[in-house]
Amino acid sequence: MPAHHEQRPVLEVHGIRKEFPGVVALDGVDFRLFPGEVHALMGENGAGKSTLIKVLTGVYEPDGGEVVLNGRPVRIDGPPQAQQAGISTVYQEVNLCPNLSVAENILIGREPRRFGLIHWSALRSRAARLVADLDLDIDVTAPLNSYSIAVQQLVAIVRAMDVSAKVLILDEPTSSLDRDEVRQLFTVIRRLRDQGVAILFVSHFLDQIYEICDRMTILRNGRLEGEYATSELSQADLVARMIGGELASLEKLSGRHETATPTSTQTASQTGTTPFLRAEGLARSGAIEPYDLAIRPGEVVGLAGLLGSGRTEAARLLFGADRSTQGSVRIEDAAATLRTPCAAISYGIAFCSEDRKNEGLVGELTVRENIILALQAARGWARPLPRAKQDEIALRWIQSLDIRPDNPEALVRDLSGGNQQKVLLARWLLTDPKLLILDEPTRGIDIGAKAEIQKLVAELAQEGMSVLFISAELEEVLRLSHRVAVLRDRRLVAELPNDGSLTPERIMATIASGARS
């Protein structure tokens, strides 16, 4: 790690501001990156990390402030200009050509030529030399798609180095890698750091941040929370600064995970009956490590954890949206196979995705058409619901959930976020589910709609429905849940009964320590 007081930043921004309609994504953010360091950019969803990266790479033009490169203010008009200036980015989704060879991908657009044609032997020799410089064992003549995602990311890094990158931005590079692949990537990162490359590292895995990063910058709600040396900030402090918890409470509670009796609001039937669903050792390679989870009738189980902790991945396995690679599920104490959403629906499971626009609603369809979508799918498209029945169902749920405007023929894309969420809930409640999985159901909606949805969840549980509730807002999780399952780095690390003594600070301490309970 460099002695920063003796060096000039290779990249810095001063007072960067970026606005979108109705949203201030970055509000006067300062940032600096030094040669020969690995620097983490930290923050929860919506903190401004992606927006800052897009400003640095010229995807977005800032509305205020300046970007300074090697001591000089610069204007970066797009990714090509950023690359010419020495700023390269390797994204989570590798942006290369899988049908071409490794060598062609490394040198695409910069192929050595002779007599106007590509000099193939020179191309392969140069690519092999670049790979060897990073001590990698990769056959540059092999097709890129013959290698794993981890190796493809290393190839993307080799390509970035060939364009003389002074700044390398790694955006969630380890999200799809196993431990051995992460170790290999970190070896390359350290070698580049030692060569003087400045590396901006974005990840939600706290253990990896503390293993590889020298310093970190934390954003919260579009503002700079602070810049810290990694060695001077504990994981508990980091979590507190990311999500706004009280440091004193975190220190007091860190590592304290007592076993407590079930909450008094939980009925005897919830604690004594057979779980509606029980997952045992359920996992998906590269997405979520094996976990056990039981959900009883009339019980709300909350999933808490930082963004990227595995909350959504755990829930998707229970709906068959992703296929598990190991483990089993029992429903009402009988073995169940959840390989597809249709299979999950047949067992009485409903799932409201956090991405309601892309995975939930069909914006070009009306409110009526969106509401009856799941019911129609369950009937089969050869047995269409009569139009009169569709109208009756849509009006009943519009009135029941107070969807506004109360016009079933309005396009759902024209509704507010809160009313869109109600349409999605109506669709699934119409199927009379036994388990309702809600992934961030109140994100991006106004306070009134949020309160209505929270009230509905509580009422559904009182009527005997099982609910799996996911939210980044810990107060919301505590308000609704009988138990809270805590995830960190794709592992379920604790189950905490909500007995009245459970607090957001204690959950944050559990996330920070990663201690199993």
Side-chain angles (χ1 to χ4, degrees):
M1 177 175 161
H4 296 132
H5 64 280
E6 298 174 356
Q7 286 194 317
R8 183 178 68 186
V10 62
L11 176 68
E12 52 190 321
V13 301
H14 304 296
I16 287 293
R17 183 176 179 87
K18 182 61 185 176
E19 295 184 45
F20 300 99
V23 177
V24 178
L26 294 174
D27 188 5
V29 169
D30 295 332
F31 170 77
R32 54 186 190 155
L33 184 63
F34 290 90
E37 74 163 340
V38 183
H39 191 115
L41 184 60
M42 304 297 293
E44 270 286 76
N45 187 36
K49 303 189 303 297
S50 296
T51 304
L52 179 57
I53 288 174
K54 289 177 179 178
V55 167
L56 295 176
T57 55
V59 176
Y60 292 155
E61 181 179 350
D63 297 314
E66 66 175 359
V67 178
V68 178
L69 190 64
N70 293 318
R72 293 184 175 182
V74 295
R75 177 174 176 173
I76 302 173
D77 294 324
Q81 287 77 18
Q83 195 170 80
Q84 290 172 8
I87 303 173
S88 288
T89 306
V90 176
Y91 294 98
Q92 175 182 347
E93 302 295 333
V94 179
N95 188 23
L96 295 175
C97 300
N99 58 310
L100 300 182
S101 70
V102 169
E104 289 172 289
N105 272 283
I106 291 174
L107 295 169
I108 192 167
R110 306 184 310 282
E111 301 90 347
R113 294 180 178 270
R114 185 171 60 178
F115 307 124
L117 301 175
I118 295 175
H119 192 332
W120 289 105
S121 62
L123 179 142
R124 288 188 285 268
S125 297
R126 181 173 164 189
R129 190 164 57 251
L130 291 167
V131 166
D133 286 345
L134 291 181
D135 199 24
L136 297 174
D137 183 17
I138 300 175
D139 179 2
V140 299
T141 65
L144 184 69
N145 59 12
S146 66
Y147 283 108
S148 67
I149 292 296
V151 173
Q152 292 182 34
Q153 286 185 324
L154 294 174
V155 171
I157 291 174
V158 172
R159 171 175 166 76
M161 291 302 97
D162 186 52
V163 296
S164 302
K166 302 180 184 69
V167 173
L168 178 63
I169 300 173
L170 300 177
D171 190 5
E172 294 287 352
T174 63
S175 60
S176 302
L177 309 187
D178 63 28
R179 291 177 183 174
D180 289 339
E181 292 169 336
V182 170
R183 192 176 301 114
Q184 183 182 22
L185 174 63
F186 281 7
T187 298
V188 171
I189 290 175
R190 291 186 181 100
R191 186 170 288 114
L192 292 172
R193 177 194 62 190
D194 294 344
Q195 293 173 6
V197 178
I199 300 170
L200 181 58
F201 187 83
V202 181
S203 175
H204 296 296
F205 299 127
L206 300 186
D207 291 344
Q208 294 178 7
I209 294 297
Y210 279 82
E211 179 180 351
I212 194 67
C213 296
D214 303 305
R215 293 189 310 122
M216 63 179 71
T217 291
I218 302 172
L219 302 180
R220 189 169 75 236
N221 297 328
R223 295 186 176 91
L224 174 67
E225 194 286 330
E227 175 191 289
Y228 307 93
T230 306
S231 60
E232 297 173 356
L233 192 68
S234 71
Q235 293 196 25
D237 291 349
L238 169 58
V239 172
R241 283 162 169 74
M242 285 173 61
I243 59 182
E246 291 295 330
L247 178 58
S249 298
L250 276 175
E251 291 174 338
K252 179 179 178 182
L253 290 165
S254 183
R256 216 185 85 200
H257 314 301
E258 305 91 336
T259 300
T261 56
T263 172
S264 60
T265 61
Q266 191 172 341
T267 67
S269 64
Q270 290 166 347
T271 58
T273 58
T274 300
F276 168 72
L277 179 145
R278 182 186 296 276
E280 297 176 340
L282 201 63
R284 179 176 172 84
S285 179
I288 182 74
E289 295 191 15
Y291 70 93
D292 298 341
L293 187 67
I295 309 173
R296 293 176 173 80
E299 181 180 37
V300 181
V301 176
L303 288 188
L306 299 178
L307 189 67
S309 61
R311 299 173 313 199
T312 296
E313 291 78 1
R316 287 174 64 88
L317 293 185
L318 301 180
F319 188 63
D322 294 328
R323 186 172 293 190
S324 62
T325 52
Q326 69 181 82
S328 62
V329 174
R330 299 186 69 82
I331 294 179
E332 295 179 329
D333 211 26
T337 302
L338 302 176
R339 294 187 176 180
T340 65
C342 285
I345 293 170
S346 71
Y347 284 110
I349 301 174
F351 176 57
C352 290
S353 168
E354 65 174 334
D355 188 358
R356 59 177 173 262
K357 290 186 177 179
N358 294 317
E359 295 184 353
L361 300 169
V362 182
E364 292 73 20
L365 298 183
T366 66
V367 170
R368 168 184 55 82
E369 291 167 326
N370 271 278
I371 287 176
I372 63 101
L373 203 55
L375 182 61
Q376 182 63 73
R379 285 170 57 93
W381 299 107
R383 297 172 56 222
L385 275 170
R387 177 58 186 268
K389 186 66 174 176
Q390 292 184 32
D391 291 339
E392 175 194 335
I393 289 171
L395 284 171
R396 173 157 49 91
W397 283 101
I398 286 171
Q399 293 170 1
S400 177
L401 297 182
D402 192 23
I403 297 172
R404 302 177 187 179
D406 58 359
N407 175 14
E409 299 311 303
L411 292 179
V412 78
R413 69 186 180 196
D414 295 332
L415 273 60
S416 68
N419 284 292
Q420 288 181 350
Q421 190 66 59
K422 290 179 183 180
V423 170
L424 192 54
L425 281 168
R427 174 196 299 169
W428 289 113
L429 294 177
L430 178 57
T431 66
D432 194 22
K434 296 180 179 179
L435 169 62
L436 179 61
I437 302 172
L438 299 173
D439 192 356
E440 296 286 2
T442 65
R443 176 185 292 167
I445 66 177
D446 61 64
I447 294 174
K450 180 179 294 190
E452 290 178 11
I453 289 173
Q454 290 175 359
K455 181 182 177 183
L456 176 62
V457 171
E459 291 173 348
L460 292 171
Q462 288 174 357
E463 294 168 3
M465 188 180 294
S466 304
V467 180
L468 184 64
F469 189 85
I470 304 172
S471 176
E473 297 184 31
L474 298 183
E475 293 82 358
E476 183 177 46
V477 172
L478 287 175
R479 189 176 303 121
L480 294 171
S481 304
H482 298 102
R483 285 183 294 120
V484 178
V486 181
L487 293 103
R488 167 182 159 142
D489 295 348
R490 301 175 181 160
R491 293 183 298 119
L492 197 158
V493 298
E495 275 195 40
L496 307 175
N498 190 6
D499 59 353
S501 66
L502 189 58
T503 63
E505 289 77 21
R506 185 177 169 200
I507 295 175
M508 287 190 290
T510 306
I511 293 170
S513 66
R516 291 191 177 272
S517 176

